[in-house]
Amino acid sequence: MRVVMFGYQTWGHRTLTALLDSEHDVVMVVTHPKSEHAYEKIWSDSVAELAEENGVPVVIRNRPDDEELLQRLKEADPDIIVANNWRTWIPPRIYTLPRHGTLNIHDSLLPKYAGFSPLIWALINGETEVGVTAHMMDDVLDAGDIVDQRAVPVGPTDTTTDLFHKTVELIAPVTIGALARIAAGETEFTPQSRAQATFFHKRAEEDIRINWDWPAEVLERLVRAQSAPYPAAFTFHKGKRLEILAAVVSEGRYGGTPGRIFYREGDGVAIVAGADARTGRNHGLAITRVRTEDGRELPATEYLTSMGGYLTDRP
């Protein structure tokens, strides 16, 4: 089939690689301009460079809503558009233009975790598996019929970086598997259950601020979810920002006020956690490694040398 690819960053790069290695003919690539946004600088393999290296015409757009792009797409005469990590709305006159419509590749097990940053949100929420879904695009974001979907397990110590590497390996088989079904003439795929759908927003500064009212188990996953190269989860100590680079759920149970610097446990320092911490039934978050406001990384036991005082969500 003649394919136009819409994509960006490493997700788009892997998709284009799979298409170039396949029996299909990539006739044009549409991608976003390079960005300095913190999250968009992560996993930033260039779709434009890969296309140019392979002699594929490239169009750079923030939004695909102009007449020139529409005309170029008509001239390219695609059988299908394949999109992965396209960051803005694709209008119906674009996604319905090819004979077979548009296939979108999304890094979650739809209908759960539609929208943005699905791996981070899934890890924070304690999901046992994550994956990649290929679905037909319609007028609701990430809601079209599922053509192919594959999953990988979430390990007990996995970070978002680990899950990225696991799921990015699924892009090629999911994409090519879905295209094989479409090329074979299949048109009936699996509708998504809207009753099971969840939709998540982009990550922002507020989303990595530690709330000590959360249970220690959730905070431990938040720290793993915000592992390098993502911006680290943070709190404040004596008015200064403190990033939490590594932590585990404490062995002991600690009662009192959330955020209290309580007890040195093993290689970490246990912090009281959970909105109901006053009951004494909760485990704490044992912080093991931190980064200070001036960029120093050190063991938590070297930074928090005396017990008492509080970690807070504001200066």
Side-chain angles (χ1 to χ4, degrees), residues 10-16 18 84 105 107 132 164 166-177:
T10 301
W11 295 272
H13 190 279
R14 286 297 187 96
T15 305
L16 179 55
N84 192 350
I105 314 300
D107 55 337
V132 172
F164 165 79
K166 287 182 179 182
T167 55
V168 79
E169 294 299 325
L170 298 178
I171 289 174
V174 166
T175 302
I176 302 308

Side-chain angles (χ1 to χ4, degrees), residues 47-314:
V47 170
E49 290 177 8
L50 178 61
E52 289 166 355
E53 289 168 2
N54 285 273
V56 179
V58 178
V59 178
I60 307 293
R61 289 290 190 278
N62 276 314
R63 296 181 177 277
D65 53 6
D66 60 276
E67 292 299 326
E68 179 188 355
L69 175 58
L70 179 62
Q71 184 57 39
R72 291 191 64 174
L73 286 169
K74 289 178 178 178
E75 292 170 358
D77 191 29
D79 295 303
I80 194 165
I81 291 173
V82 175
N84 192 350
N85 198 41
W86 183 261
R87 312 296 282 176
T88 58
W89 181 64
I90 298 177
R93 66 176 183 167
I94 299 292
Y95 72 72
T96 62
L97 186 149
R99 297 172 186 81
H100 298 293
T102 294
L103 181 75
N104 186 54
I105 314 300
H106 181 72
D107 55 337
S108 85
L109 297 174
L110 294 174
K112 297 175 68 175
Y113 297 97
F116 301 91
S117 306
L119 292 179
I120 296 178
W121 288 114
L123 180 51
I124 291 170
N125 291 331
E127 299 292 349
T128 59
E129 61 179 9
V130 292
V132 172
T133 302
H135 70 94
M136 301 309 300
M137 187 174 288
D138 62 16
D139 59 355
V140 179
L141 183 62
D142 296 334
D145 290 357
I146 293 171
V147 185
D148 199 328
Q149 183 177 81
R150 307 186 191 201
V152 290
V154 178
T157 61
D158 276 346
T159 65
T160 300
T161 300
D162 296 324
L163 298 182
F164 165 79
H165 288 298
K166 287 182 179 182
T167 55
V168 79
E169 294 299 325
L170 298 178
I171 289 174
V174 166
T175 302
I176 302 308
L179 289 178
R181 293 186 67 186
I182 294 166
E186 291 188 52
T187 57
E188 297 296 323
F189 305 115
T190 305
Q192 293 191 45
S193 167
R194 303 318 299 154
Q196 296 179 16
T198 57
F199 186 87
F200 285 81
H201 60 74
K202 293 180 181 179
R203 302 289 293 175
E205 180 84 352
E206 192 64 26
D207 303 310
I208 61 176
R209 184 190 306 274
I210 290 176
N211 181 346
W212 293 103
D213 283 343
W214 286 13
E217 293 82 0
V218 180
L219 293 177
E220 186 270 341
R221 293 197 299 265
L222 172 64
V223 171
R224 284 193 282 127
Q226 294 297 152
S227 63
Y230 296 95
F234 70 94
T235 187
F236 288 90
H237 182 236
K238 296 181 179 179
K240 294 185 177 181
R241 181 173 172 137
L242 183 68
E243 295 182 345
I244 309 304
L245 303 182
V248 296
V249 176
S250 70
E251 293 182 8
R253 298 177 187 270
Y254 301 101
T257 301
R260 178 74 174 188
I261 304 165
F262 197 140
Y263 188 72
R264 187 165 180 165
E265 183 185 282
D267 295 329
V269 176
I271 312 298
V272 177
D276 61 344
R278 67 189 182 282
T279 65
R281 294 193 294 264
N282 295 358
H283 291 279
L285 184 71
I287 299 170
T288 57
R289 193 161 187 84
V290 299
R291 181 162 52 222
T292 61
E293 203 167 68
D294 60 5
R296 291 184 302 130
E297 292 187 18
L298 67 164
T301 52
E302 292 184 17
Y303 177 80
L304 298 169
T305 56
S306 60
M307 300 303 98
Y310 293 86
L311 299 180
T312 59
D313 63 353
R314 306 286 170 179

